[in-house]
Amino acid sequence: MGDLTREIYKLTAPYDNPYQGKDKRLLFVCSAGLLRSATAANLYAKKGFNTRSCGTHDYALIPLSENL
């Protein structure tokens, strides 16, 4: 694992962040984080969930990380 990958996957944010609210959290993952996961996150955010989307590939808009 390279230095950049280690840095991306390092946990730097607390899980119980008070600024995220108390809504149920959902993480949507697809390969690039551009279409499927972003669409699903948008739909569930409109239903009142705290959502994030990301991708698993190197070219992902928001790479999958431990912080997510």
Side-chain angles (χ1 to χ4, degrees):
M1 190 179 331
D3 291 336
L4 179 58
T5 304
R6 271 193 216 91
E7 188 63 30
I8 289 172
Y9 285 102
K10 185 168 75 173
L11 180 63
T12 58
Y15 179 75
D16 290 329
N17 185 340
Y19 299 106
Q20 294 218 350
K22 297 295 181 187
D23 295 333
K24 187 168 187 148
R25 293 180 241 178
L26 299 174
L27 175 63
F28 294 94
V29 182
C30 70
S31 58
L34 296 172
L35 297 174
R36 291 169 293 214
S37 61
T39 301
N42 191 348
L43 290 172
Y44 277 82
K46 290 179 180 178
K47 294 181 179 186
F49 291 93
N50 181 349
T51 63
R52 301 288 183 272
S53 65
C54 64
T56 57
H57 284 287
D58 294 335
Y59 55 82
L61 183 64
I62 300 171
L64 178 63
S65 70
E66 189 173 344
N67 286 319
L68 291 172

